[in-house]
Amino acid sequence: EALQGRAFGRPQGLAAAAAAATTAPARDDVITPHPSNNVTDNIFSKIGVNLHHQQDHPLCIIKSAIWDYFESKTPGKFRKFDDLYPIVSTSQNFDELLIPQDHVSRSPNDTYYVTDERVLRCHTSSHQAELLRQGHSAFLVTGDVYRRDTIDATHYPVFHQMEGVRVFEPAEWEAAGCTAAELAEQELKAELEGLARHLFGDVECRWVDAYFPFTEPSFELEIYYMGEWLEVLGCGVMQQSILDDNLERGKKAWAFGLGLERLAMVLFSIPDIRLFWSGDERFLNQFRAGDLSTKFASFSKFPPCYKDMTFWLSEKFTENNLCELVRNAGGDIVEEVKLIDEFTHPKHGRTSNCFRITYRSMERSLTDEEVNAIQEDVRSMVVSELEVELR
């Protein structure tokens, strides 16, 4: 996802913040000659932009509102981190969180590998064990995270999460007259229901049992908002071995993780995740630090351009690999990549897919010439890199 051309560079207005970032790695630290490396220039261009540091940006507004909530509940209790280095070890990203060796998230189809042993973090939870080892017992970690994914209005390969952890001492559950696990679960649910109402008003909340390798029991919090139930975050009581191995035995903890984009899209009625990366003042000027009441007003809707592509599949083909190539060619003017037809030949058993690529800029009308040129690049790359056979 080349940096050349206006479709691929850092948005104006965001570049200055990126230049000022102190934790952004150099390109050679991210895009390495290692055979496992699958990071593109487009992904590298997002590192260090730090949307969550920009005071009037909707992601920073959400981050600050969550910080304010926890500070108001327990002043000075939670240590805040929002500039931790985005390259972590596979041990931090997977092993220390008890993610199984055969878990799908370890696949290079899902994760950006720098080397066999280093990745762009997939979640802010990758810092959890490290911070426990440093002796922190209550902390909030915010940062950009990276996952190879499909292309549509709600998915983007770079997004922002916040991780929260709170450790309890034996004296606390003894004083409460309950078990350690009961106290952690009760406190967790009370804190997060309060957070949901702090952000969304007097909403109804419900808890759904879930599974995460690093918590047990695990839950998802849903709120009833604007006439429907919406998932807000995942959480649970931290697996005891994580706490015992990285802090000390005899304690209990809860942990939660949430996506800032997901909350901001719901709260501010933002329809397309690409808008967060837009440098367009018509978007950015609608938001102000401390104001959770803004509802995004669409400033224009430029026409889409559809391009269909049909091919016989190969062993190298996955939908995520296709989406990486399309982003590589088109950057943020690609709105969606969608499978619209699948056919398996009755005689030779080969499978054919037809994907529709939607090109649409959020800031200007696209010309036929530029879209056709990008589509030709896509067609060439799927043949040379994914070894599919175009039909």
Side-chain angles (χ1 to χ4, degrees), residues 70-338:
F70 282 100
E71 184 64 21
S72 68
K73 293 274 290 182
T74 49
K77 178 72 174 178
F78 285 84
R79 176 79 185 271
K80 303 174 186 69
F81 300 90
D82 73 346
D83 60 355
L84 298 179
Y85 199 63
I87 300 176
V88 299
S89 68
T90 52
S91 178
Q92 288 174 286
N93 202 69
F94 302 119
D95 301 337
E96 291 180 346
L97 294 168
L98 310 181
I99 294 174
Q101 288 292 329
D102 60 353
H103 196 276
V104 63
S105 65
R106 291 181 182 257
S107 166
N109 190 55
D110 286 53
T111 293
Y112 289 105
Y113 279 83
V114 176
T115 67
D116 278 346
E117 298 180 347
R118 295 180 70 74
V119 300
L120 295 179
R121 63 185 168 216
C122 299
H123 36 222
T124 46
S125 305
S126 60
H127 300 287
Q128 183 183 106
E130 171 191 7
L131 293 174
L132 288 171
R133 286 194 295 272
Q134 292 174 9
H136 299 291
S137 59
F139 51 85
L140 301 169
V141 180
T142 312
D144 42 343
V145 299
Y146 300 80
R147 296 183 193 174
R148 300 175 92 241
D149 213 335
T150 54
I151 299 177
D152 59 32
T154 61
H155 292 89
Y156 200 81
V158 188
F159 56 105
H160 299 75
Q161 284 188 338
M162 184 183 293
E163 160 96 355
V165 168
R166 162 80 156 89
V167 178
F168 295 91
E169 304 283 344
E172 293 179 270
W173 60 79
E174 290 166 5
C178 60
T179 68
E182 288 170 342
L183 177 66
E185 181 178 335
Q186 291 166 11
E187 290 287 321
L188 171 69
K189 290 181 174 179
E191 289 275 23
L192 296 182
E193 287 184 14
L195 173 61
R197 295 185 175 107
H198 177 72
L199 296 175
F200 293 97
D202 189 19
V203 291
E204 183 181 353
C205 298
R206 72 180 183 189
W207 293 93
V208 178
D209 290 339
Y211 165 76
F212 307 111
F214 30 84
T215 53
E216 176 58 39
S218 303
F219 311 99
E220 289 174 347
L221 173 60
E222 296 182 351
I223 62 170
Y224 194 71
Y225 185 74
M226 303 291 285
E228 60 181 327
W229 286 101
L230 299 172
E231 179 193 333
V232 174
L233 52 80
C235 62
V237 178
M238 188 183 295
Q239 287 280 12
Q240 195 61 40
S241 63
I242 297 177
L243 206 51
D244 292 348
D245 292 347
N246 295 289
L247 188 59
E248 61 181 279
R249 294 183 179 276
K251 299 189 177 184
K252 208 70 178 174
W254 55 244
F256 73 83
L258 55 82
L260 296 183
E261 278 87 348
R262 177 171 179 77
L263 296 183
M265 291 179 81
V266 173
L267 190 61
F268 299 130
S269 300
I270 295 171
D272 193 312
I273 197 168
R274 294 176 298 162
L275 281 164
F276 293 112
W277 294 92
S278 171
D280 195 316
E281 296 298 327
R282 292 172 296 178
F283 173 74
L284 297 173
N285 286 344
Q286 294 190 36
F287 303 95
R288 288 290 177 268
D291 185 359
L292 297 176
S293 66
T294 301
K295 296 299 180 186
F296 170 67
S298 181
F299 44 81
S300 59
K301 188 74 168 178
F302 293 101
C305 180
Y306 302 106
K307 295 289 182 181
D308 292 353
M309 182 171 58
T310 305
F311 47 81
W312 297 108
L313 302 188
S314 69
E315 289 186 1
K316 288 189 175 181
F317 174 82
T318 68
E319 187 171 344
N320 280 358
N321 284 342
L322 172 64
C323 289
E324 281 296 301
L325 293 184
V326 176
R327 283 196 182 97
N328 198 32
D332 282 356
I333 67 172
V334 182
E335 181 173 270
E336 185 177 46
V337 175
K338 184 177 182 180

